Amino acid sequence: MSSLALQIDAVVKRFGATTAVNNLSLDVTQGEFVSLLGPSGCGKTTTLRMIAGLERPSAGTIRIAGIDVSAMPPEARDIGMVFQSLALFPHMTVADNVAFGLRMRGRATDRLAERVREALDRVRLSGFEDRYPDTLSGGQQQRVALARAIVTSPAVLLLDEPFSALDRSLREALTLEFSGLLREIGATTVFVTHDQEEAFAMSDRVAVIEGGRLMQCDAPATVFGRPSCTRVARFVGMSNLLPVTKGTDGALRCELGPLSLVADARGVPPAVVGFRPDDIRLADPAPDSAGLQFSARISRCTFRGRQVQLELTPDLAPGHSLRMLAESGSPIPETGVVRNFLVAPERLHLMGE
Amino acid sequence: MKNRLATLIGIVWLSAVIGFVLAPLLIALVVSFSDSELISFPISSYSVRWFATAWQKEIFWRSALNSLWLALAAVAVAGPVGLAAALAIRRAPPAIAQPIEAVLMLPLLVPAIVLSLSLLVASVITGITDAPLRLWAAHSVVVLPYVVRTCLASLGSMPRQVEEAARTLGASPWRVFRHVTLPLMRPGLFAGCAFAFILSFDNVSVSLFLVNQKTPTLPLAIMNYVEYNFDPGVAAVSATMVALSLAIAWLVERMVGLRKVLG
């Protein structure tokens, strides 16, 4: 159990009549990087604030390094946090900002300057010790905020959308640099973001949160490729979702026709089958194998540069509209034409509701 | 052409306003350096003798000391109370904070004479009839809004989440206040206290109702004096008051401008 840096157990947070976080449980092992991913207002920041002690859970317990901290104030918890607004102290120099945590916790008083220098070195800000935060660029301020949070070597490092204020290119560069750095120092990190790419690029595991509930927590590739439910599926872009029924012979089918699946997908309790827009292909060259084959009319065609987005109305289920993405170089039928389409077996994913 | 005309009108207008506001002050300043026995303008010869003469009069230096102590005492109350009120207003839910803020701002809105009368009535009802004590209480109330205002302003300009950040870095609420909140509020608190000092020092209406004959404040002493005398000495005293106010305003500008040094 000692390898668990953070244990969140059945935590609930209510604000008046609304429930921001609903019965959320999550364990994070030492040195792991976990992202809390979800749309704004899903409860991910509230969860992070409860870990930090800035909000009290209405129910449930939170343990940091095995210690129940649920009732402890933030200053008693062994954490470091980088805020969305960075929240650097404008009246202190960079060095004093970084030293603040060490001073308040009464740590390393004899090696204070050395520890501060090390931390600034790590974020490549040596030589900026005597500058004030408002004389630094956005990216440099980001680095100060990170150095300030990691200098105390906290048991858990909490990052609350720290890159959201930066422009895209700087953001990508810092994402890579920071995740590398945090791995290097072996920091246990909980990272809140609404940006999928950011979460996938940085994390060991991604926890998808929606409506205050944890929908799925898995490795990035698993969340992306095998979402556990329709809400996660929609969130990661698996937008074609159809209910599944089981025939008397045990065979699975959806409204478009029978499904033939690869073996390892059969374990899941079948409720919905999902596939991505770019997994639909024209069936004209005779298929080797098809997981699902259907005939549909192309109801709309939108040019999107590298890709062309098609809207398909299947013959057997005209109420549904499927979305398809095709390479814009490939030959594409015109709007109004009825054609055969297919999805390969390995591209079909069964999931719960 | 149109633009130039607009600029010209602007300059004339601005000069008129500045002249209108500053001319009387300047005349008082000039007169204070007069050598003649009576106030007259323009002055014929210069001298600083009225400064010496006036400040040697017991009524002036004694009342100036009264005013000084009164202003300091009022600031000593309004400063901490205003700071605490601003902190409470910001932390409280809006439904509670807004009415409290409105009430604290009332002394700014109520006509001075009405406020003064109310304070007199209040002093009678509460039985605080000792003149220095009730002056102290009344001045503290009158200058409080300025401290609250400036403290709220500096709290408003404080970067978001710095206090929470300090908590996550191991600081207890008291140390957060000591190391983060207070240093960041210091310019506002300082400016508020300086304005409060000036306002108390210059106040006429409240003092007029609550003062006794033995311990007048400087503005009241000046008023009494000009009833029977019309020499440049009163201009010299006024000039000193203006200089004091300007010095404090300049100090505020310096201090608030040099926020980093203060922090």
Side-chain angles (χ1 to χ4, degrees):
Chain A
M1 289 303 274
S2 65
S3 70
L4 284 179
L6 174 68
Q7 294 154 276
I8 303 173
D9 187 21
V11 159
V12 178
K13 180 65 187 180
R14 288 183 212 96
F15 293 108
T18 56
T19 305
V21 175
N22 196 349
N23 201 25
L24 190 143
S25 297
L26 178 69
D27 287 350
V28 181
T29 54
Q30 202 133 31
E32 199 181 16
F33 194 119
V34 174
S35 290
L36 306 183
L37 176 67
S40 59
C42 72
K44 57 191 193 300
T45 295
T46 305
T47 304
L48 197 77
R49 290 174 60 81
M50 284 193 286
I51 302 171
L54 298 169
E55 302 284 357
R56 277 285 161 83
S58 311
T61 56
I62 294 171
R63 286 191 172 77
I64 292 174
I67 303 162
D68 184 351
V69 297
S70 312
M72 283 186 190
E75 63 267 26
R77 304 184 181 197
D78 190 8
I79 50 165
M81 186 159 174
V82 179
F83 289 80
Q84 189 169 11
S85 64
L86 299 186
L88 297 176
F89 305 128
H91 59 300
M92 294 183 198
T93 61
V94 168
D96 285 335
N97 264 281
V98 175
F100 191 85
L102 292 172
R103 290 205 175 106
M104 290 300 127
R105 295 189 197 279
R107 286 198 202 147
T109 38
D110 49 332
R111 298 177 49 241
L112 192 81
E114 196 185 323
R115 290 278 293 272
V116 169
R117 206 174 324 115
E118 273 172 24
L120 285 174
D121 217 34
R122 280 213 180 277
V123 298
R124 301 199 287 120
L125 268 186
S126 304
F128 285 83
E129 282 84 352
D130 296 328
R131 298 272 291 270
Y132 283 91
D134 59 7
T135 66
L136 302 179
S137 71
Q140 287 167 337
Q141 293 185 7
Q142 208 83 47
R143 291 162 192 277
V144 177
L146 184 67
R148 185 177 70 173
I150 61 173
V151 73
T152 55
S153 312
V156 182
L157 181 65
L158 307 170
L159 309 177
D160 183 13
E161 308 213 29
F163 307 122
S164 55
L166 301 176
D167 61 68
R168 183 141 200 98
S169 60
L170 184 57
R171 184 175 173 155
E172 278 171 13
L174 275 182
T175 305
L176 289 177
E177 188 189 328
F178 279 19
S179 63
L181 189 152
L182 293 174
R183 251 165 247 282
E184 203 179 295
I185 61 175
T188 308
T189 309
V190 180
F191 176 65
V192 160
T193 183
H194 63 269
D195 185 319
Q196 275 181 52
E197 281 180 39
E198 217 169 74
F200 290 153
M202 295 180 89
S203 322
D204 298 315
R205 280 191 299 153
V206 174
V208 182
I209 298 179
E210 214 183 280
R213 289 175 183 277
L214 179 63
M215 310 308 285
Q216 184 174 9
C217 183
D218 277 308
T222 311
V223 171
F224 186 77
R226 299 223 303 274
S228 65
C229 63
T230 53
R231 298 173 93 173
V232 178
R234 276 197 201 92
F235 193 66
V236 298
M238 194 176 277
S239 52
N240 297 316
L241 299 164
L242 296 161
V244 170
T245 52
K246 199 169 193 172
T248 45
D249 55 347
L252 298 176
R253 52 179 300 122
C254 69
E255 286 167 79
L256 303 185
L259 297 166
S260 106
L261 302 153
V262 291
D264 72 328
R266 291 182 189 273
V268 191
V272 174
V273 65
F275 45 95
R276 292 199 145 73
D278 48 354
D279 289 335
I280 305 179
R281 280 184 287 132
L282 274 170
D284 279 346
D288 306 329
S289 64
L292 173 65
Q293 210 169 346
F294 59 92
S295 163
R297 190 171 55 82
I298 299 168
S299 52
R300 189 187 286 171
C301 183
T302 317
F303 181 69
R304 290 187 173 271
R306 286 170 60 101
Q307 289 176 314
V308 176
Q309 183 183 308
L310 305 172
E311 264 169 49
L312 309 178
T313 309
D315 294 350
L316 290 175
H320 282 287
S321 178
L322 299 178
R323 188 170 287 178
M324 169 179 172
L325 281 173
E327 294 295 316
S328 56
S330 59
I332 287 151
E334 284 167 33
T335 310
V337 177
V338 177
R339 299 295 286 271
N340 278 319
F341 297 89
L342 68 82
V343 182
E346 68 274 15
R347 300 291 186 183
L348 291 173
H349 303 287
L350 289 179
M351 64 192 83
E353 269 306 338
Chain B
M1 270 310 272
K2 213 170 185 181
N3 244 335
R4 198 176 298 173
L5 188 67
T7 313
L8 191 70
I9 292 174
I11 290 172
V12 170
W13 177 249
L14 195 65
S15 317
V17 169
I18 290 174
F20 193 74
V21 172
L22 288 185
L25 265 178
L26 287 175
I27 289 174
L29 281 178
V30 171
V31 169
S32 69
F33 289 101
S34 161
D35 193 28
S36 66
E37 289 298 320
L38 284 174
I39 289 180
S40 63
F41 188 84
I43 58 175
S44 45
S45 59
Y46 291 88
S47 160
V48 291
R49 75 178 174 102
W50 282 110
F51 281 86
T53 313
W55 284 116
Q56 269 163 11
K57 287 187 200 297
E58 189 180 348
I59 179 65
F60 284 138
W61 65 258
R62 208 175 262 289
S63 63
L65 278 181
N66 289 341
S67 281
L68 186 69
W69 286 121
L70 179 60
L72 287 175
V75 167
V77 172
V81 172
L83 174 71
L87 287 171
I89 285 169
R90 201 196 41 154
R91 278 168 173 72
I96 298 170
Q98 279 166 4
I100 291 179
E101 189 181 346
V103 168
L104 283 173
M105 292 304 153
L106 270 183
L108 288 178
L109 302 172
V110 176
I113 201 79
V114 175
L115 182 65
S116 308
L117 188 63
S118 318
L119 288 167
L120 176 64
V121 172
S123 91
V124 171
I125 290 172
T126 54
I128 305 173
T129 47
D130 178 46
L133 192 63
R134 68 185 189 186
L135 265 180
W136 181 23
H139 274 226
S140 302
V141 170
V142 171
V143 300
L144 184 64
Y146 297 88
V147 181
V148 175
R149 257 285 145 82
T150 54
C151 283
L152 278 176
S154 60
L155 275 174
S157 66
M158 192 159 78
R160 282 177 53 228
Q161 300 179 322
V162 282
E163 290 171 313
E164 289 188 341
R167 292 291 298 276
T168 65
L169 289 164
S172 61
W174 163 249
R175 293 176 96 182
V176 173
F177 175 73
R178 166 85 186 67
H179 294 286
V180 177
T181 316
L182 188 58
L184 289 175
M185 288 183 74
R186 205 169 289 170
L189 180 62
F190 181 79
C193 286
F195 288 135
F197 180 90
I198 294 175
L199 280 157
S200 166
F201 198 80
D202 293 351
N203 182 281
V204 173
S205 62
V206 171
S207 303
L208 194 60
F209 277 77
L210 300 177
V211 81
N212 67 9
Q213 285 306 309
K214 274 185 290 176
T215 53
T217 61
L218 183 56
L220 293 187
I222 294 173
M223 279 177 66
N224 283 335
Y225 188 80
V226 291
E227 270 185 59
Y228 305 105
N229 309 274
F230 203 59
D231 61 48
V234 78
V237 172
S238 308
T240 315
M241 282 183 77
V242 171
L244 180 73
S245 296
L246 283 179
I248 292 172
W250 176 80
L251 208 62
V252 170
E253 178 56 34
R254 281 284 308 230
M255 299 299 232
V256 176
L258 297 173
R259 207 167 107 163
K260 287 272 164 52
V261 178
L262 270 168

